[in-house]
Amino acid sequence: MSEQSVNLLDFDPPGLANYFADLGEKPFRSQQLLKWIYQQDIDDFDEMTNLSKALRGKLAEQAVVRLPEVAMDHKSDDGTRKFLFRLVDGNCIETVFIPESERGTLCVSSQVGCALNCSFCSTATQGFNRNLTVGEIIGQVLLAKRLLMADGWGERPVTNVVMMGMGEPLLNFDNVISAMRLMLDDQTFGLSKRRVTLSTSGVVPEIARLKEILPVSLAVSLHAANDDLRNELVPINKKYPIKELLDACRHYVAGDSKRRRVTFEYVMLDGVNDTDADARALLKLLKRVPSKMNLIPFNPFPHTQYNCSSQERIDRFRDILHRGGIVTVTRKTRGDDIDAACGQLAGDFKDRTRRRESRISTINISPNKVIRGSAG
Ligand code: SAH
């Protein structure tokens, strides 16, 4: 199949229904196709037995199911799994699976690189390359699911998705929305909006649009309690300062019958943003926003100027927030032995020289090989 063929993974459910209408097919046929690909893990049109032979022939002529390729697959001591996926143009992106007792969370990338230049993030050191297509975003979920199933993780290894990998999802708005529509669709992964989280550095106008179009769970990378410091750490703050950002957050969860909260992420940087006064300033800021707080121990990467705050400091910071009435958890650092932790995703295959080779296990599932799921 040539690279010019239509990649069926690029269609969200309404888009696929339109494509089928153009082929002269009824919309429900597109739902059958989604089920084959996303639930039965069949990519070969010949095997899609409830589609007419004529339709299968048309699809074979002009369409393809194109997944990324597996460039690397690392397993961390704590069970975290980092995939390096190679895209059709040779770029690589990272996708991380974090298993917990009650759920399996997949951390998905939205861009190759990132344009935002946050000073404590290793993705920033790469610069920005391009937006991912819908198929490249949902392809991470589909391919990870298939690889995990093949590895004995059961029928539904991925129960939660966080758009917290490489890139700023709100700066690839349309493609991220379409990919999230696919995550939520009953014919595909059937995740609830609560189980899909979008993390943003604070692209204020797009937060309002997200609420209108697809109000999934929102996480916001705050990292500082005043504009001077936030301008330094998260430079997009110069465009959308803290007050505007928090107004957008308050609006995002306003009127929500399920009393949802915004999750704020706060990276703990030794001597930079981790004093008692910072914690108290945060309490003041967040008074009017229904919030949860995730403290993230800083994960180092080569040539960074920062260090992680001490455990005592993090605990004290957490206690101050907690006493002030904000549910605060310190995120466990997962997968740091394989650079799969927050802010360590770089995706540049050629630079990965400092890995411990013994941990690397590249698996041999070609993207086109069909792995059968359950019938149904
Ligand atoms: N661009 C989006 C999503 C990607 S970052 C955003 O900014 O939210 C995912 C999370 O990891 C963000 O909260 C980010 O601030 C955090 N992060 C980035 N670098 C980190 C590092 N070195 N250590 C710990 N957390 C980091």
Side-chain angles (χ1 to χ4, degrees):
M1 197 61 56
S2 82
E3 282 178 16
Q4 272 76 48
S5 316
V6 176
N7 184 6
L8 294 175
L9 302 184
D10 279 329
F11 290 117
D12 64 8
L16 192 66
N18 285 339
Y19 174 69
F20 269 48
D22 290 345
L23 295 177
E25 295 287 336
K26 298 245 158 47
F28 80 93
R29 295 281 172 212
S30 69
Q31 298 185 1
Q32 291 176 320
L33 182 90
L34 287 175
K35 243 180 154 160
W36 280 114
I37 298 172
Y38 290 96
Q39 293 188 356
Q40 268 125 278
D41 299 299
I42 300 282
D43 297 344
D44 181 348
F45 305 124
D46 274 344
E47 293 186 51
M48 301 182 179
T49 45
N50 58 0
L51 303 182
S52 71
K53 242 186 151 167
L55 172 57
R56 283 187 260 158
K58 267 188 258 177
L59 290 173
E61 259 167 41
Q62 47 179 277
V64 66
V65 177
R66 189 186 304 118
L67 284 165
E69 278 174 30
V70 183
M72 285 228 199
D73 179 354
H74 301 256
K75 285 177 195 166
S76 163
D77 295 340
D78 65 16
T80 301
R81 188 120 166 219
K82 179 166 81 167
F83 302 107
L84 187 68
F85 290 148
R86 189 179 300 108
L87 310 174
V88 72
D89 63 358
N91 279 311
C92 287
I93 51 167
E94 297 190 333
T95 307
V96 180
F97 178 67
I98 305 143
E100 288 169 289
S101 54
E102 301 288 308
R103 59 185 172 189
T105 302
L106 195 70
C107 180
V108 169
S109 293
S110 57
Q111 299 181 315
V112 182
C114 187
L116 291 185
N117 217 12
C118 297
S119 59
F120 52 88
C121 179
S122 87
T123 306
T125 60
Q126 255 197 319
F128 175 69
N129 189 303
R130 67 172 174 85
N131 280 333
L132 296 183
T133 62
V134 178
E136 288 166 343
I137 299 169
I138 201 65
Q140 296 170 63
V141 186
L142 182 57
L143 183 52
K145 181 198 87 158
R146 291 181 180 185
L147 293 166
L148 292 162
M149 276 170 56
D151 215 27
W153 279 92
E155 289 298 309
R156 290 197 83 223
V158 177
T159 63
N160 294 60
V161 172
V162 292
M163 297 300 304
M164 286 187 193
M166 301 165 65
E168 169 49 54
L170 291 184
L171 292 181
N172 184 14
F173 192 88
D174 293 343
N175 291 350
V176 165
I177 290 284
S178 287
M180 293 195 306
R181 279 195 208 290
L182 281 163
M183 296 169 201
L184 302 177
D185 195 87
D186 281 344
Q187 316 303 325
T188 60
F189 301 100
L191 301 180
S192 71
K193 290 198 187 78
R194 204 169 43 84
R195 289 179 179 274
V196 175
T197 301
L198 183 146
S199 178
T200 180
S201 55
V203 190
V204 165
E206 308 297 41
I207 293 176
R209 271 178 82 206
L210 185 67
K211 176 174 168 125
E212 292 310 311
I213 297 175
L214 202 66
V216 294
S217 298
L218 181 67
V220 170
S221 296
L222 192 56
H223 306 315
N226 64 71
D227 282 321
D228 281 346
L229 181 57
R230 195 162 190 272
N231 287 344
E232 218 178 276
L233 301 178
V234 187
I236 199 177
N237 192 69
K238 292 178 203 152
K239 199 162 178 193
Y240 305 116
I242 292 177
K243 182 175 178 319
E244 283 179 36
L245 175 59
L246 294 183
D247 283 348
C249 291
R250 193 167 51 247
H251 178 251
Y252 194 82
V253 289
D256 188 292
S257 56
K258 296 191 185 99
R259 296 220 230 130
R260 280 203 302 177
R261 297 156 195 250
V262 176
T263 301
F264 290 96
E265 295 155 289
Y266 196 93
V267 63
M268 297 300 293
L269 302 170
D270 184 34
V272 175
N273 65 353
D274 64 350
T275 64
D276 290 0
D278 288 311
R280 287 193 295 268
L282 275 180
L283 279 176
K284 219 164 146 194
L285 274 183
L286 298 180
K287 236 186 209 137
R288 291 167 53 233
V289 187
S291 333
K292 281 186 286 193
M293 182 64 81
N294 262 349
L295 301 180
I296 315 176
F298 171 66
N299 295 304
F301 52 89
H303 311 301
T304 176
Q305 54 177 315
Y306 298 112
N307 294 304
C308 184
S309 310
S310 68
Q311 192 58 52
E312 298 77 60
R313 189 88 294 278
I314 297 174
D315 289 349
R316 183 159 163 85
F317 202 89
R318 180 202 58 206
D319 290 345
I320 295 173
L321 293 175
H322 208 79
R323 278 201 301 274
I326 297 187
V327 175
T328 306
V329 290
T330 307
R331 200 182 278 167
K332 254 192 287 172
T333 286
R334 300 283 304 258
D336 53 341
D337 55 334
I338 55 168
D339 288 358
C342 296
Q344 292 184 320
L345 304 186
D348 183 356
F349 193 46
K350 284 173 242 120
D351 269 358
R352 316 258 96 196
T353 42
R354 64 196 188 85
R355 302 200 170 283
R356 279 163 279 176
E357 294 298 325
S358 61
R359 283 190 199 289
I360 297 173
S361 59
T362 307
I363 36 178
N364 288 321
I365 291 185
S366 91
N368 299 322
K369 181 166 164 194
V370 174
I371 306 157
R372 277 177 193 282
S374 65

